Amino acid sequence: MASPESAVNGPTMTAGAASKSLRNAFGGVIAFIILVLIGVLAFSIRLFSVIKYESVIHEFDPYFNYRVTQFLSKNGIYDFWNWFDDRTWYPLGRVIGGTVYPGLTLTAGTIWKVVNSLNIPLSVETVCVFTAPIFSAFASWAAYLLTKEVKGPGAGLTAAALLAMVPSYISRSVAGSYDNEAVAIFALVFTFYLYIKTLNTGSLFYATLNALAYFYMVCSWGGYTFIINLIPMHVLLCIVTGRYSSRLYIAYAPLVVLGTLLASLVPVVGFNAVLTSEHFASFLFLILVDRQCHLSSSYYLLVQVFIIIHVVALAYYIKGILSPKMFKVAVTLVVSVGLAVCCAVIAILIAVVASSPTKGWSGRSLTLLDPTYASKYIPIIASVSEHQPPTWPSYFMDINVLAFLVPAGIIACFMPLTDSSSFVILYIVTSVYFSGVMVRLMLVLAPAACILSGIALSEAFNVLTRSIKFQLPGIAGNPSIAEENGSSTVVAPNDIPKTEEAAKEKPAKKNRKKEKENVEKKPTPSKTEKRLLVLPLEASVIAVLLLVLLGAFYVVHCVWAAAEAYSAPSIVLTSHSNDGGLHVFDDFREAYSWLSHNTDVDDKVASWWDYGYQTTAMANRTVLVDNNTWNNTHIATVGTAMSSPEKQAWEIFHSLDVKYVLVVFGGVVGYPSDDINKFLWMVRIGGGVFPHIKEPDYLVSFSNLRMLTSQTYLFACLYPKRDGQYRIDAQATPTMLNCLMYKLSYFRFVETDGKGFDRVRRTEIGKKHFKLTHFEEVFTTHHWMVRIYKLKPQRNRIRGKTKKSKSSRSVSSKRDVRGKRNPWH
Amino acid sequence: MAVGIGFRRRLDFLLLVIAILSAPVLSDLILSKVERQIDLTSQIARISSTIKAENDGSSSVSEILLAIPELQAKNLAYLTARVIEGKGKARTSGLALTVEPANPKGMPPALSFYSIVLPKPLANGDSVTLDVLAAFTHSLRPFPEKITQADIHLVLFQDTGHYLSPYPVKVQSLAVKLPQARIESYTKLDNTKTLGSEIKYGPYENLPPFSYSPIAIHFEANQAFAVARELVREIEISHWGNVQVTEHYDIVHGGAMSKGEFSRLDYQSKPQIRGASAFKHLVAKLPPRAHSIYYRDAIGNISTSHVRGDSKKTEILIEPRYPLFGGWRTAFTIGYGLPLHDFVFESEGKRFLNISFGSPMHDIVTDSITLKVVLPEGSKYFSVSTPFAVQQEEEIKMSHLDIFGRPVVVLKKANVVPEHNQFFQVYYKFNALAMLMEPFMLITGIFFLFVTCIVYVHVDLSISKSSASYLAKLQWDEVRATVQQIQNIINQCLSTHEKLEASLRDLSRTGDVQACKAARKAADGLLKELSKELKPLIAFLQSTPPAAHILPKVEELVAKERELQERLMAKHSTIVDSYEKKLGGKETENRVASVQQKIVALRQDIEDLMEYIDEI
């Protein structure tokens, strides 16, 4: 077919179909290579933590996941489902199999198994460390697919590149950050992609895949409720705006049926999800669940929209078979009957919800609606920093320039508004709201921001480069070849049409600028119109440069964030000395290692709940409370013990079989997130359950404060509305200076420098010389960051002492008090 | 308690002495001179004795017996004997002699015997000088058994002041070397003197066989009592050029148990006093050119280590995560790679690994060592030669992409001291081609992956070949092929148009009207031919139902193209005309202007249509 002339005249030939399909094929290959590179980028930008520190599991929750994965790889899947963990929440224990989202664990376990069955000896730890980077590569590919469905491959590639390095996501998925979010973001974006794909194609195949992807998401993260609310909302939006189609039905109905069935297979969700009354909150807005209230889900909206879509489908069907007149009659009939039924249903629902004790609102759901709710009423939720509302700088830190590009992306989505672009708009709007409630949910915002910014950037480049392209030859003085593509040298077109088609079928056509649906609806006119919308050449060149600059700034910021801000594993701290040397603070592992080798296997270690997961995973010792804060009373007991005087604390700990008490103390090296700074939460949570712990006892009131000249302490200025401040200096209350936490932290501290100057609180401590009567120091780490004390054994009773009568009286009187105070007696 | 123990010991020895006295004289050997030196500067008690033996009897003697009390014998880790030749400065020690446990009859039960087989039997009146070195582990008993952080670490060592031997000894002396000058107490026999940190006993003369006088020395010992309760050394040979050594240690401080509290404050402010009994670091001496050294434990890297290297050795100083006080434990792993050519050699068609046996740590006692030599996959006929007796097993290890697994030689030994760091050999046969197996496997795997992809793309996997949708798909494929062809033709048309334009440009440059006309003719002919080709394709599209929705566009495209042709021809002829009439450029332009506009618009349309059809 190829004529020799065309080959000869190649350079001046008008771009034709043959060259175009070839260009598409090249575009496909280039897009593929770009995607691979994006995957590599997403993976490698997360390796800063391994390079700068080491290949190690990070922070707190990842240690639990790691421990579960170890258990899974050692004992197999059935033992994992039935695992009752007796090494935590002593003496209650925890049913791990039924209370954990198994997606991450099963994923890493499967990877480990596959790799080992190929005789590649990777340790479980290595697999766990690198799971998150691998899945962030997947997530950026999923973002490509999703954006491609919405606005074409160009936008898709841009969005994928943006998502590959968005700091918000990096913060949760650096190598070693082995947490649910790492795989869940991939699952989230991929589920959305499949939903959009189904919506665009109306294929039942994709609908089924969508249900499976949703199932994976349910397995992975409590954030699945986001999906199960967003999709019904979108369906509702489509119906309301008159965009109902059979494709919408296929996209939604199978997802509801299959997805719900599959979701109920996950023990942690189960059928409870359908039955509990927590749905009501989600009817208004959805919830991100985490460790504690894993049952909250939002089947209500789901089911309601399910009904609505059927009604609408029926209506459309009837409309098809009836004459318009008959249809009007039918509509009035149906509407009146429907209204009556709806009223009845709503009445029943209200009755059900009103009869349930919590009125259908869980604490965490309320946090979403009223951000101040938790800090007022649920200290255990408020005590976690990631549950606090974010500040403006944190938006800039986490999504950077995307924050400015998102509005442009929203505008681009409105021209034209399609089913898929309306979904993206809905996604960004809801996620922006939720990110404003909790810092954690910034993570859900990140993909949406990337997708919209990708669309915005791609559209902007599209307009600008088109303007440039249109005008450049104009300057050359030959408008007739304005459309000529300088690079379109034409090789003889392929003689086999089939391969050409195959090339055309390739998903990515990078150079394709028009979007499919757009063309379908209004083919040529809009195009010629667009051709006319041309910006001045200088302006567009400058704009392109500025956009490139913006992109460069984003890249620089992301790399900085990945390298400096988010790659610290938090169990190892480093500081740079003045001469440029690196000093490593490895105290946590020192302490855990000591516990693991030098205490008995069955010894119980008490510490504040933050260190629970790490203690069980690294030291392999039984703990009272851990980061799965499911039992508030138990945590309050530990809080009470920590804020009680030594003797009472000893009694509480002794009654719980505790042998060692671990406290984290930063006063020597200036490590700010130590137990003294967390102490207000111990008091608050303890006092919330055991009323004899009264917060005012620990506070120095403002009236006293005013008399002070130097004010260099303030470690609890987070809550200025409280009447007073926690302080540990000379003005501190006696209750504070005598509580266990103070004593264990500052035991013999004064001897380090002679004054007892606390480098975190920047003050001298109040009570300097004291002795411990019920505890003895057994280990303190190199920088004093972790101190471990042992409970002294009970004193032998000495018979026939002269003070017998006196002591027995005092003991009995104390016991009365204790009976009330100690919940374990 | 000390008295109690001492008493019991005494009682034991009393019995022993009684037993000894009743024992028969073994042979006619006389030890003419015995010099013993007990080195207690480390946690290992090393007793080196220089023994000069004379045969006093008539028959020749081929072996000499050594007697060791059973209490000590169970701590005996290492025993070796060498013949010394020459005297004074010319002394040279010969090869190590065979030392094996013996069980001579009629000997007292509380003694263990080892016999040294002499290189040549000792005839009457001949004499031989032997150097016997024995190393005992766990023979420095901490006393008191539990100390606090501030206490001094004291140990007790017990032995005999007179050389215990089944033979009469003429002259003997004993020197005990201690780590520090501080000696709590020691047994005083006659002729005892101290010299700094050394205690000297003797000389004693003419003592009968089995003479025994217990001595006990109680002294301060602050050296590292590092005991590896278990050590697993894995040596993996890769013929790609590396010998990888991985050592898993389970270390305990074998000294007096620490009791009471541990105060970091005291330890940091006065480490010499309040932490004297603890050890902070260990030193390992690795072979030269060791590389990729790591030091970690179950929960990650341990950052406190330093490596110094020179051409003779690589020295690594490792600090455990915390200082070890008495009874404290820790566990860690060190690993390093060694160049293959330093340790694996070839002889007589066999390869052999030649590497040292024990732990590279300085002065460490290993209670139990498991040494695994992982040979490359495909090695055969392996055998081990060790300088001392070890327990030997075999197993298979599956590692990187193995199919059959790698043969592993497992050597086990209890009670190992640094003296055991001798070279041992593992011989095996290995075909160098076998190391290409894994890369080959990978290549094959990837190749088959690609082949599968190709096959998948080319094979029609539909289950039903007659179903409506399948047929529709086939038809649709055909339609697409046709559309593709049409597009090709249109493209050719467009290129022909381009040629026409080019000829016009040529015209304006050269003024060659004839050439321009010829070009038009050629183009005309070509275009006609193309439109002829186009006809059956359009007809096919019209006849196929699935093409219905694309047909209008295609038809529009063809129509537009035809119009464009006409316009172009018109333009061409006009320009040629006006050129022939020698009209001015401006006039020509005016005449062409309207046509030109149409042409541009049409071209735009055609391109848009093509793009649209492309997307379908």
Side-chain angles (χ1 to χ4, degrees):
Chain A
M1 198 66 56
S3 62
E5 290 99 315
S6 73
V8 172
N9 293 322
T12 50
M13 191 183 129
T14 315
S19 74
K20 214 161 259 173
S21 67
L22 206 68
R23 209 168 71 189
N24 288 347
F26 274 130
V29 171
I30 289 171
F32 180 76
I33 292 169
I34 290 175
L35 275 181
V36 170
L37 289 178
I38 286 173
V40 171
L41 169 73
F43 183 80
S44 51
I45 202 172
R46 287 165 170 82
L47 298 186
F48 276 111
S49 59
V50 172
I51 293 160
K52 285 183 72 181
Y53 296 89
E54 56 178 287
S55 169
V56 73
I57 307 282
H58 288 196
E59 299 198 319
F60 305 104
D61 288 18
Y63 267 98
F64 169 74
N65 296 325
Y66 169 51
R67 183 162 162 257
V68 176
T69 314
Q70 270 184 321
F71 184 89
L72 172 71
S73 56
K74 204 191 275 171
N75 298 314
I77 180 86
Y78 290 104
D79 281 349
F80 165 67
W81 287 125
N82 297 326
W83 187 17
F84 177 81
D85 184 11
D86 59 354
R87 299 199 79 78
T88 181
W89 292 98
Y90 183 82
L92 308 168
R94 178 185 171 194
V95 186
I96 301 272
T99 60
V100 77
Y101 284 100
L104 175 77
T105 319
L106 290 178
T107 308
T110 314
I111 294 175
W112 181 81
K113 211 157 197 183
V114 167
V115 161
N116 271 273
S117 69
L118 292 173
N119 281 329
I120 299 170
L122 286 182
S123 66
V124 178
E125 192 190 1
T126 314
V127 172
C128 292
V129 166
F130 292 103
T131 299
I134 290 170
F135 270 80
S136 22
F138 291 170
S140 42
W141 292 334
Y144 163 74
L145 292 172
L146 173 58
T147 321
K148 198 193 95 190
E149 283 302 314
V150 178
K151 275 283 174 185
L157 287 173
T158 323
L162 292 176
L163 185 70
M165 50 189 173
V166 62
S168 171
Y169 186 27
I170 285 179
S171 74
R172 293 305 188 125
S173 63
V174 292
S177 182
Y178 179 57
D179 212 347
N180 290 335
E181 288 92 332
V183 298
I185 292 302
F186 158 70
L188 182 86
V189 178
F190 195 62
T191 312
F192 285 158
Y193 156 67
L194 285 170
Y195 171 69
I196 296 289
K197 183 84 186 171
T198 323
L199 201 59
N200 282 345
T201 58
S203 150
L204 204 54
F205 172 69
Y206 284 114
T208 320
L209 280 189
N210 190 15
L212 288 175
Y214 169 68
F215 173 56
Y216 184 66
M217 178 70 194
V218 175
C219 282
S220 309
W221 196 32
Y224 73 90
T225 47
F226 188 73
I227 294 179
I228 210 131
N229 285 275
L230 188 58
I231 288 178
M233 275 163 69
H234 178 243
V235 171
L236 210 59
L237 184 80
C238 283
I239 291 171
V240 168
T241 53
R243 286 174 167 275
Y244 172 80
S245 64
S246 58
R247 287 176 288 114
L248 186 70
Y249 182 82
I250 288 171
Y252 186 64
L255 174 69
V256 173
V257 178
L258 281 177
T260 311
L261 276 178
L262 288 171
S264 57
L265 295 178
V266 182
V268 67
V269 179
F271 275 105
N272 287 336
V274 194
L275 302 174
T276 46
S277 70
E278 283 213 328
H279 52 237
F280 202 76
S282 53
F283 177 67
L284 291 168
F285 274 114
L286 33 130
I287 307 125
L288 248 227
V289 185
D290 60 313
R291 5 181 134 87
Q292 205 184 19
C293 60
H294 40 260
L295 295 178
S296 72
S297 66
S298 48
Y299 280 83
Y300 191 78
L301 179 63
L302 191 78
V303 172
Q304 213 178 44
V305 174
F306 190 62
I307 295 165
I308 290 172
I309 199 170
H310 276 96
V311 170
V312 173
L314 190 72
Y316 271 79
Y317 178 68
I318 291 169
K319 196 179 178 181
I321 45 174
L322 291 183
S323 65
K325 213 174 185 182
M326 286 283 280
F327 182 68
K328 263 185 188 167
V329 177
V331 164
T332 41
L333 188 75
V334 167
V335 164
S336 50
V337 173
L339 273 179
V341 172
C342 276
C343 287
V345 167
I346 288 170
I348 291 169
L349 264 174
I350 289 173
V352 168
V353 169
S355 66
S356 75
T358 54
K359 300 257 188 294
W361 300 89
S362 77
R364 219 165 284 231
S365 325
L366 281 169
T367 315
L368 285 174
L369 296 177
D370 172 16
T372 57
Y373 175 85
S375 59
K376 276 188 216 145
Y377 303 108
I378 312 171
I380 198 136
I381 293 176
S383 74
V384 181
S385 62
E386 60 183 22
H387 290 166
Q388 305 289 344
T391 52
W392 286 113
S394 72
Y395 276 99
F396 188 73
M397 175 73 198
D398 274 2
I399 55 174
N400 201 245
V401 301
L402 304 187
F404 311 120
L405 288 171
V406 162
I410 294 176
I411 292 168
C413 280
F414 272 107
M415 338 186 276
L417 188 69
T418 59
D419 289 352
S420 43
S421 65
S422 66
F423 177 78
V424 173
I425 292 167
L426 201 63
Y427 179 19
I428 188 83
V429 170
T430 45
S431 59
V432 164
Y433 175 78
F434 291 123
S435 69
V437 174
M438 274 190 198
V439 183
R440 270 187 105 186
L441 301 187
M442 202 74 124
L443 196 57
V444 180
L445 170 67
C450 287
I451 288 163
L452 279 161
S453 310
I455 291 171
L457 271 182
S458 163
E459 291 289 309
F461 273 120
N462 202 350
V463 168
L464 298 172
T465 49
R466 186 162 9 87
S467 314
I468 295 171
K469 191 173 139 193
F470 202 69
Q471 287 175 57
L472 269 183
I475 289 167
N478 192 352
S480 65
I481 50 165
E483 289 308 305
E484 189 175 295
N485 193 337
S487 66
S488 69
T489 44
V490 175
V491 191
N494 208 329
D495 276 339
I496 312 153
K498 198 170 177 189
T499 46
E500 274 182 3
E501 279 148 33
K504 270 168 67 181
E505 275 168 3
K506 281 270 157 63
K509 299 170 192 167
K510 208 207 166 197
N511 296 326
R512 187 59 57 247
K513 282 166 187 146
K514 288 291 285 179
E515 180 234 330
K516 213 189 222 165
E517 290 94 37
N518 190 10
V519 182
E520 269 171 25
K521 269 158 207 156
K522 23 188 169 159
T524 37
S526 78
K527 231 178 188 185
T528 38
E529 239 169 65
K530 267 194 176 175
R531 289 263 150 79
L532 299 175
L533 293 173
V534 165
L535 292 166
L537 181 71
E538 295 78 15
S540 39
V541 168
I542 290 169
V544 165
L545 285 178
L546 285 178
L547 279 182
V548 169
L549 204 69
L550 195 70
F553 180 67
Y554 176 72
V555 171
V556 168
H557 173 80
C558 290
V559 172
W560 172 82
E564 301 294 332
Y566 290 136
S567 57
S570 96
I571 54 162
V572 188
L573 309 168
T574 52
S575 75
H576 291 276
S577 55
N578 292 333
D579 55 344
L582 192 72
H583 193 80
V584 179
F585 297 85
D586 204 358
D587 286 35
F588 288 106
R589 287 193 296 189
E590 183 182 345
Y592 294 132
S593 171
W594 186 86
L595 272 177
S596 127
H597 289 112
N598 297 306
T599 58
D600 192 68
V601 183
D602 290 324
D603 283 346
K604 280 84 191 169
V605 180
S607 66
W608 190 234
W609 60 263
D610 292 23
Y611 313 105
Y613 278 164
Q614 290 184 348
T615 311
T616 41
M618 284 199 265
N620 191 22
R621 292 294 172 269
T622 311
V623 294
L624 296 189
V625 289
D626 67 22
N627 310 45
N628 176 278
T629 50
W630 67 272
N631 188 327
N632 192 33
T633 315
H634 215 49
I635 292 177
T637 311
V638 175
T640 307
M642 291 296 189
S643 37
S644 303
E646 218 187 320
K647 189 167 164 53
Q648 275 82 353
W650 185 90
E651 277 160 5
I652 292 173
F653 281 142
H654 187 72
S655 67
L656 285 168
D657 264 3
V658 170
K659 207 157 176 198
Y660 296 94
V661 181
L662 179 149
V663 294
V664 172
F665 171 61
V668 173
V669 288
Y671 171 65
S673 46
D674 66 350
D675 276 349
I676 294 283
N677 272 3
K678 289 170 184 169
F679 186 62
L680 80 159
W681 296 113
M682 303 184 202
V683 172
R684 211 163 280 174
I685 293 169
V689 177
F690 304 107
H692 72 275
I693 300 290
K694 293 181 191 68
E695 201 176 349
D697 292 350
Y698 299 86
L699 296 172
V700 180
S701 65
F702 277 123
S703 52
N704 294 343
L705 276 178
R706 256 178 244 122
M707 295 186 285
L708 295 168
T709 48
S710 73
Q711 302 200 343
T712 50
Y713 37 85
L714 307 184
F715 60 91
C717 41
L718 270 171
Y719 287 85
K721 63 178 178 293
R722 298 270 164 171
D723 189 24
Q725 270 164 324
Y726 283 86
R727 45 194 302 157
I728 41 88
D729 60 2
Q731 265 71 38
T733 60
T735 326
M736 179 77 196
L737 295 181
N738 282 313
C739 74
L740 184 71
M741 182 48 75
Y742 179 90
K743 284 196 166 180
L744 296 191
S745 291
Y746 293 111
F747 178 62
R748 295 189 73 186
F749 174 61
V750 68
E751 292 169 53
T752 52
D753 59 355
K755 290 185 295 184
F757 184 79
D758 186 323
R759 292 202 184 169
V760 177
R761 267 65 61 176
R762 308 201 153 275
T763 178
E764 276 183 33
I765 58 172
K767 193 172 171 184
K768 292 177 179 174
H769 300 277
F770 55 86
K771 278 185 179 153
L772 293 174
T773 48
H774 293 80
F775 294 86
E776 62 176 354
E777 184 188 10
V778 286
F779 190 73
T780 297
T781 57
H782 189 248
H783 302 100
W784 290 53
M785 274 161 63
V786 184
R787 310 193 72 180
I788 301 171
Y789 293 84
K790 191 178 181 180
L791 269 74
K792 279 188 182 166
Q794 218 155 4
R795 285 247 177 84
N796 285 336
R797 251 184 217 171
I798 300 158
R799 210 180 278 174
K801 268 236 162 173
T802 46
K803 282 195 286 180
K804 190 186 168 189
S805 60
K806 200 178 164 189
S807 67
S808 72
R809 198 173 61 229
S810 71
V811 164
S812 67
S813 67
K814 256 182 195 155
R815 188 165 291 152
D816 292 340
V817 180
R818 199 203 310 146
K820 269 179 244 153
R821 289 189 177 178
N822 187 348
W824 297 98
H825 270 290
Chain B
M1 205 154 75
V3 176
I5 288 169
F7 180 70
R8 215 169 58 230
R9 269 257 161 111
R10 292 250 163 96
L11 201 68
D12 282 350
F13 286 120
L14 199 68
L15 291 172
L16 191 124
V17 170
I18 293 166
I20 285 165
L21 289 177
S22 62
V25 175
L26 199 72
S27 66
D28 302 324
L29 269 180
I30 291 174
L31 304 184
S32 54
K33 195 177 180 190
V34 175
E35 280 172 11
R36 276 195 302 153
Q37 191 172 36
I38 304 178
D39 183 357
L40 299 178
T41 49
S42 75
Q43 58 164 332
I44 302 159
R46 293 187 174 88
I47 305 177
S48 61
S49 337
T50 311
I51 301 166
K52 193 176 177 192
E54 266 179 35
N55 191 353
D56 206 24
S58 48
S59 57
S60 64
V61 178
S62 63
E63 59 173 27
I64 300 177
L65 284 177
L66 296 177
I68 294 168
E70 221 156 56
L71 279 169
Q72 281 186 343
K74 71 174 196 295
N75 290 332
L76 178 68
Y78 183 76
L79 180 62
T80 179
R82 290 168 196 277
V83 180
I84 290 177
E85 280 147 13
K87 271 189 181 172
K89 281 184 182 170
R91 274 164 69 115
T92 48
S93 53
L95 282 173
L97 304 174
T98 322
V99 182
E100 48 198 22
N103 208 356
K105 277 175 192 160
M107 286 293 160
L111 291 176
S112 294
F113 286 91
Y114 292 87
S115 76
I116 302 170
V117 181
L118 294 174
K120 54 178 192 263
L122 212 58
N124 183 16
D126 281 0
S127 71
V128 68
T129 313
L130 296 173
D131 199 352
V132 179
L133 175 69
F136 297 90
T137 57
H138 302 293
S139 52
L140 300 183
R141 233 157 25 86
F143 188 82
E145 283 176 335
K146 283 189 177 179
I147 56 168
T148 64
Q149 189 183 349
D151 289 344
I152 310 156
H153 191 233
L154 296 170
V155 292
L156 187 72
F157 178 75
Q158 288 173 312
D159 199 4
T160 161
H162 297 154
Y163 185 62
L164 184 63
S165 169
Y167 312 107
V169 183
K170 272 188 183 163
V171 183
Q172 61 169 298
S173 66
L174 168 68
V176 183
K177 218 171 138 194
L178 301 176
Q180 265 126 346
R182 182 180 165 135
I183 302 164
E184 199 75 2
S185 70
Y186 62 97
T187 313
K188 290 193 177 72
L189 304 176
D190 28 314
N191 247 345
T192 309
K193 53 179 180 279
T194 57
L195 213 116
S197 61
E198 212 171 78
I199 306 171
K200 288 198 165 166
Y201 290 95
Y204 306 109
E205 285 171 14
N206 289 333
L207 290 172
F210 299 114
S211 18
Y212 186 88
S213 65
I215 54 166
I217 302 160
H218 194 200
F219 60 98
E220 182 182 353
N222 282 330
Q223 61 269 42
F225 272 67
V227 178
R229 290 189 303 159
E230 197 169 350
L231 166 61
V232 179
R233 281 189 93 198
E234 192 178 276
I235 300 165
E236 187 161 357
I237 302 169
S238 158
H239 277 275
W240 292 99
N242 193 28
V243 176
Q244 180 67 35
V245 185
T246 315
E247 298 171 356
H248 306 275
Y249 286 90
D250 181 1
I251 300 261
V252 65
H253 185 296
M257 302 286 279
S258 94
K259 68 174 180 194
E261 49 186 43
F262 162 66
S263 166
R264 175 68 68 170
L265 182 81
D266 291 342
Y267 178 72
Q268 274 171 341
S269 55
K270 288 167 252 168
Q272 294 310 316
I273 305 160
R274 298 302 180 95
S277 62
F279 66 88
K280 226 181 131 174
H281 52 75
L282 296 162
V283 179
K285 210 172 117 185
L286 308 181
R289 289 180 292 283
H291 58 87
S292 333
I293 301 169
Y294 66 84
Y295 168 44
R296 56 167 294 148
D297 65 3
I299 56 176
N301 182 46
I302 308 173
S303 53
T304 42
S305 60
H306 306 279
V307 177
R308 275 193 308 273
D310 54 33
S311 62
K312 297 235 174 68
K313 63 177 188 304
T314 310
E315 207 171 67
I316 164 171
L317 183 140
I318 61 175
E319 278 178 38
R321 288 195 185 273
Y322 40 87
L324 285 168
F325 280 86
W328 285 15
R329 288 172 178 174
T330 189
F332 56 84
T333 302
I334 62 173
Y336 46 94
L338 301 169
L340 182 78
H341 53 80
D342 286 4
F343 295 94
V344 176
F345 308 95
E346 226 174 325
S347 76
E348 298 158 15
K350 272 197 153 186
R351 293 161 201 267
F352 68 94
L353 169 80
N354 187 33
I355 202 164
S356 71
F357 183 84
S359 155
M361 298 277 179
H362 181 67
D363 263 344
I364 194 173
V365 169
T366 313
D367 283 352
S368 145
I369 185 171
T370 308
L371 193 99
K372 296 180 175 178
V373 180
V374 183
L375 300 173
E377 190 177 25
S379 317
K380 280 172 281 193
Y381 313 114
F382 39 90
S383 59
V384 183
S385 110
T386 49
F388 37 81
V390 291
Q391 193 190 337
Q392 192 180 332
E393 289 165 23
E394 273 165 35
E395 56 186 47
I396 296 284
K397 183 189 173 189
M398 302 299 271
S399 184
H400 298 275
L401 297 171
D402 286 347
I403 297 174
F404 314 109
R406 307 178 180 196
V408 183
V409 179
V410 184
L411 307 175
K412 285 184 179 168
K413 182 164 172 56
N415 221 355
V416 175
V417 290
E419 274 75 10
H420 285 108
N421 276 4
Q422 299 172 14
F423 284 90
F424 73 100
Q425 293 81 33
V426 179
Y427 295 89
Y428 61 98
K429 273 199 168 165
F430 177 73
N431 188 348
L433 278 179
M435 69 190 210
L436 293 175
M437 196 170 84
E438 274 151 17
F440 180 70
M441 225 168 67
L442 274 182
I443 292 166
T444 329
I446 291 169
F447 175 72
F448 277 109
L449 183 77
F450 285 143
V451 166
T452 324
C453 288
I454 292 169
V455 167
Y456 175 77
V457 168
H458 284 267
V459 167
D460 188 352
L461 290 173
S462 349
I463 300 163
S464 154
K465 304 276 184 207
S466 58
S467 75
S469 65
Y470 180 71
L471 290 178
K473 195 181 152 246
L474 281 188
Q475 217 164 25
W476 178 236
D477 280 350
E478 246 173 279
V479 167
R480 286 169 58 141
T482 320
V483 170
Q484 194 68 50
Q485 279 174 332
I486 291 171
Q487 278 185 321
N488 281 344
I489 290 171
I490 301 281
N491 272 335
Q492 285 178 38
C493 289
L494 289 176
S495 69
T496 321
H497 298 166
E498 204 54 46
K499 259 186 278 176
L500 275 177
E501 298 270 5
S503 74
L504 280 183
R505 279 200 290 278
D506 279 353
L507 180 69
S508 64
R509 205 172 61 237
T510 61
D512 191 353
V513 181
Q514 290 313 311
C516 192
K517 275 186 178 166
R520 189 167 74 198
K521 215 169 202 177
D524 208 29
L526 195 64
L527 285 174
K528 284 221 169 91
E529 213 169 280
L530 287 174
S531 65
K532 235 182 251 168
E533 271 179 42
L534 213 51
K535 257 175 204 155
L537 296 176
I538 301 282
F540 170 76
L541 279 190
Q542 278 162 344
S543 65
T544 28
H549 73 276
I550 200 173
L551 189 61
K553 293 280 170 199
V554 174
E555 276 173 345
E556 195 187 340
L557 178 68
V558 172
K560 286 252 162 90
E561 201 275 331
R562 193 150 297 158
E563 203 186 336
L564 181 62
Q565 266 180 37
E566 281 159 18
R567 301 274 174 190
L568 259 178
M569 283 302 171
K571 178 188 164 193
H572 199 264
S573 53
T574 322
I575 291 179
V576 171
D577 257 15
S578 54
Y579 200 82
E580 277 178 332
K581 287 175 190 161
K582 311 257 193 254
L583 288 173
K586 203 142 204 191
E587 206 170 328
T588 319
E589 244 172 60
N590 283 344
R591 284 175 67 178
V592 179
S594 62
V595 186
Q596 183 63 37
Q597 260 182 11
K598 278 250 170 72
I599 287 175
V600 170
L602 278 172
R603 223 174 239 163
Q604 194 72 59
D605 286 351
I606 287 173
E607 200 174 306
D608 284 347
L609 278 172
M610 296 274 271
E611 218 166 278
Y612 174 70
I613 291 170
D614 251 6
E615 299 221 348
I616 294 170

